[in-house]
Amino acid sequence: RSREAGDMQGEILADLWAKDPAKIDVNGDGKIQFVEFKGVANNPEDIARTQYSEETAKELGVPLEMVTDIIVADWDTTKANDAMKATWSSHPEIELVFANNDDMAIGVIAALSETGYNTGKEGDKSIAVIGVDATDAAIEAIKAGKMTATVKQDGDAMGHANIEFMLNKLMNGDFYAGMEDKYKLNDDGCSVYIPYAQITLDNLD
């Protein structure tokens, strides 16, 4: 499901809002001013992540206000960094950044840190930054208190599943027969679904 990463970003935000609204609503106006960093303009995965991160959070009761147009940064750390510097200087009211991937989230964090935000140091200010991919850099940033959360697209599990299906074909003459208990076949009859997972400081282990 291409929307699942976006759904989970929205769910992460909703959980944070439910636990402590004041921690997310930095200026205390009762809503969350945010920006959205999109990978590329017309990619279906990007469109879904962008749409459902916002929609799901709103459906779960988070009052969101987008303060700029969607920012397209080509999945790139440097482009996201440059864009966030310009956006942050003109919109210091931003309290949340959704990023379609962790590389862009890391660029956003680097831009924020130049103004003393999201440094991970006790007492320094921060805003919420939520990415996708669970890269090593993102995990380290979450551990360091610089990044809020990410969503894991489980590449290891995808690779493992591919190997299992190939071995099953070689040993039993069929890709899927005998694998029904482990993998649910999608409606297209030729693929299976590997779930995403929410990654926050509370569940890093």
Side-chain angles (χ1 to χ4, degrees), residues 22-28 33 81 84-85 87-89 91-97 105-129 141 144-148:
K23 189 172 183 179
I24 306 297
D25 183 14
V26 179
N27 62 20
Q33 284 77 33
N81 179 271
M84 188 61 191
K85 285 178 183 176
T87 304
W88 184 239
S89 66
H91 291 280
E93 74 274 20
I94 293 169
E95 299 164 315
L96 162 71
V97 177
I106 293 298
V108 166
I109 291 166
L112 292 169
S113 69
E114 291 186 15
T115 61
Y117 277 71
N118 293 61
T119 65
K121 297 176 182 176
E122 188 173 350
D124 282 357
K125 295 179 180 179
S126 67
I127 66 170
V129 179
K146 299 177 181 181
M147 183 169 166
T148 309

Side-chain angles (χ1 to χ4, degrees), residues 121-201:
K121 297 176 182 176
E122 188 173 350
D124 282 357
K125 295 179 180 179
S126 67
I127 66 170
V129 179
I130 303 174
V132 177
D133 284 336
T135 63
D136 290 344
I139 297 300
E140 290 306 311
I142 293 170
K143 286 180 181 178
K146 299 177 181 181
M147 183 169 166
T148 309
T150 186
V151 176
K152 182 176 183 178
Q153 184 176 20
D154 200 339
D156 290 343
M158 292 175 185
H160 187 76
N162 283 327
I163 292 169
E164 284 195 295
F165 288 126
M166 288 301 299
L167 289 174
N168 198 54
K169 171 69 172 177
L170 291 171
M171 296 174 67
N172 301 313
D174 187 274
F175 286 107
Y176 187 65
M179 307 277 278
E180 295 87 352
D181 290 342
K182 189 166 185 179
Y183 296 104
K184 182 181 182 299
L185 199 64
N186 290 328
D187 292 339
D188 61 11
C190 62
S191 66
V192 299
Y193 169 67
I194 305 297
Y196 289 69
Q198 299 179 20
I199 306 295
T200 67
L201 186 61

Side-chain angles (χ1 to χ4, degrees), residues 8-29:
M8 286 193 174
Q9 286 183 307
E11 290 165 3
I12 288 167
L13 179 62
D15 287 343
L16 295 169
W17 177 256
K19 288 177 184 175
D20 188 356
K23 189 172 183 179
I24 306 297
D25 183 14
V26 179
N27 62 20
D29 68 350

Side-chain angles (χ1 to χ4, degrees), residues 17-95:
W17 177 256
K19 288 177 184 175
D20 188 356
K23 189 172 183 179
I24 306 297
D25 183 14
V26 179
N27 62 20
D29 68 350
K31 53 192 173 184
I32 308 302
Q33 284 77 33
F34 81 106
V35 291
E36 184 95 43
F37 276 74
K38 189 176 186 180
V40 293
N42 297 314
N43 180 288
E45 189 85 11
D46 297 13
I47 292 168
R49 291 180 183 184
T50 300
Q51 176 182 348
Y52 290 105
S53 56
E54 179 181 0
E55 285 189 12
T56 299
K58 285 182 174 178
E59 287 172 4
L60 292 172
V62 183
L64 288 174
E65 178 185 23
M66 186 180 286
V67 300
T68 70
D69 292 336
I70 293 167
I71 300 167
V72 176
D74 297 330
W75 304 104
D76 185 77
T77 299
T78 300
K79 289 182 180 180
N81 179 271
D82 292 341
M84 188 61 191
K85 285 178 183 176
T87 304
W88 184 239
S89 66
S90 57
H91 291 280
E93 74 274 20
I94 293 169
E95 299 164 315

